[in-house]
Amino acid sequence: MISFKSVNKWYGDFQVLKNINLDIAKGEVVVVCGPSGSGKSTMIRCINRLEPIQDGDITVDGMNVSDPRTNMTLLRAEVGFVFQQFNLYPHMTVIDNITLAPTMVRGMSRGEATAIGMELLKKVDIPDKAGAYPSQLSGGQQQRVAIARGLAMQPKIMLFDEPTSALDPEMINEVLDVMKSLAREGMTMICVTHEMGFAREVADRVIFMDEGLLIEQNTPEEFFNNPQSDRTKDFLSKIL
Ligand code: ADP
Ligand code: MG
C-alpha cells in the first residue's frame, strides 16, 4: 500500500531523510518512534507530498507520489492525516468540518456527506456534538472530530502524527481507543507516537528513526524485548 525506495530528502543543505526503504502492506499498523528531530514527521508528510522528496521513489496504492502525472487530489483523498494540533476550522461546526472535503473534493451531496458524518461521530463516540463549534469541545473531543474528518473521505490509509501529544493526560485514552478500533477494523495506519502501550497492543511493526535513518524495525514484542541497535536501546531506556 505504501512503499519507500531509497528515499533521500534535504532541507537546503541538511539531509533530513537518509536512504529510507519501507514497505507497508494493506491493513498493516505501523508505529514510528524516535527522538525529536529524527525525521518522523517529514517521512510521513512525504507520503501525500506535503513535502517533496529529491531522490528515490514513494508509491501509494500504486501511484508514484513524485510523478507529475499522478493525480494528487485522488492520492490525497486516499490518505487521511491527523496532526498533533487538531487543525479544525474554528468558525465551522463539527459536522461542517467533517463534510467540507467530501462535498468539495469528492463531489458528494450535502445529504450523503452529512449522513456519513453523523455515522462517523457515532464511531468516535461524540454523536451529540455535530452542531458544536471546536472551541466548545475538549482537546480529546476535537482530536476525535479530526479523526472523523479524516475518515469522511473514506481513505485507504490513515497517517497520525503524534495525535495525543497536545492532549491533557486524561484525554489520551479516548483518542487511542478510537485509533485502536480503526486498527482492528483493518485500516492501513502509520502512527508517529510515543504511546508504547498502544504500540504493544495494536502495532504489527514498530519502526525506530534517528537522525534521518531508519535504524530498526521489528514486531512490538521483538522491538521492546530485544532491541538490536544501541541507539534503540538508549531511546527506550529514556522513554519506558
Ligand atoms: P520529528 O518529527 O522526528 O521531530 P521532523 O521531521 O519534524 O522530525 O524534523 C526533522 C529535522 O528537520 C529537524 O532537525 C527539523 O528541525 C528539520 N526540519 C523540519 N522541517 C523543516 C523545514 N521546513 N525546513 C528546514 N528544516 C526542517
Ligand atoms: Mg514530528
Side-chain angles (χ1 to χ4, degrees):
M1 191 61 103
I2 304 170
S3 168
F4 282 65
K5 292 217 180 350
S6 307
V7 171
N8 292 287
K9 174 177 174 60
W10 289 261
Y11 289 120
D13 293 338
F14 173 67
Q15 186 167 6
V16 60
L17 296 179
K18 300 172 183 163
N19 194 33
I20 302 289
N21 288 289
L22 180 64
D23 282 290
I24 296 175
K26 188 171 192 303
E28 218 184 337
V29 177
V30 174
V31 161
V32 180
C33 62
S36 180
S38 56
K40 306 179 298 295
S41 295
T42 301
M43 183 177 81
I44 66 168
R45 291 168 68 85
C46 290
I47 293 170
N48 61 357
R49 216 205 282 162
L50 289 176
E51 287 288 349
I53 57 171
Q54 285 82 33
D55 185 32
D57 279 304
I58 301 175
T59 50
V60 174
D61 195 20
M63 295 178 274
N64 186 325
V65 176
S66 306
D67 187 334
R69 289 165 300 184
T70 296
N71 180 337
M72 283 311 292
T73 308
L74 184 67
L75 190 149
R76 288 189 176 135
E78 291 197 9
V79 184
F81 210 126
V82 176
F83 302 90
Q84 179 174 343
Q85 299 301 338
F86 330 120
N87 296 343
L88 298 174
Y89 296 108
H91 59 289
M92 293 171 69
T93 61
V94 163
I95 193 70
D96 286 347
N97 266 280
I98 294 171
T99 57
L100 182 68
T103 52
M104 301 294 280
V105 181
R106 282 239 193 259
M108 218 180 266
S109 74
R110 178 116 198 121
E112 190 188 354
T114 302
I116 290 172
M118 296 305 285
E119 280 305 309
L120 288 170
L121 284 175
K122 274 188 220 161
K123 189 181 178 112
V124 301
D125 213 20
I126 36 174
D128 52 337
K129 297 295 184 190
Y133 285 88
S135 61
Q136 298 169 313
L137 304 181
S138 72
Q141 290 172 333
Q142 289 186 58
Q143 193 59 301
R144 286 183 282 151
V145 173
I147 294 172
R149 182 177 60 176
L151 292 172
M153 290 291 277
Q154 302 173 309
K156 294 184 179 171
I157 297 164
M158 286 290 283
L159 306 176
F160 294 86
D161 193 357
E162 303 206 33
T164 60
S165 297
L167 297 176
D168 291 332
E170 75 273 20
M171 295 173 187
I172 290 175
N173 280 332
E174 65 196 46
V175 171
L176 292 178
D177 285 345
V178 169
M179 293 168 64
K180 285 177 197 170
S181 68
L182 262 185
R184 294 197 180 105
E185 286 166 18
M187 178 64 79
T188 307
M189 295 168 52
I190 304 183
C191 312
V192 177
T193 181
H194 293 148
E195 293 293 335
M196 293 300 146
F198 173 82
R200 277 183 196 274
E201 203 177 323
V202 297
D204 296 300
R205 203 172 359 152
V206 182
I207 287 176
F208 175 69
M209 290 183 71
D210 194 16
E211 296 182 353
L213 291 162
L214 199 167
I215 302 282
E216 180 163 349
Q217 48 179 322
N218 223 326
T219 61
E221 166 130 338
E222 279 297 305
F223 183 83
F224 293 113
N225 298 341
N226 190 19
Q228 300 297 306
S229 133
D230 287 340
R231 293 203 214 188
T232 313
K233 288 176 195 164
D234 181 54
F235 176 75
L236 289 175
S237 75
K238 285 175 183 146
I239 65 159
L240 291 179

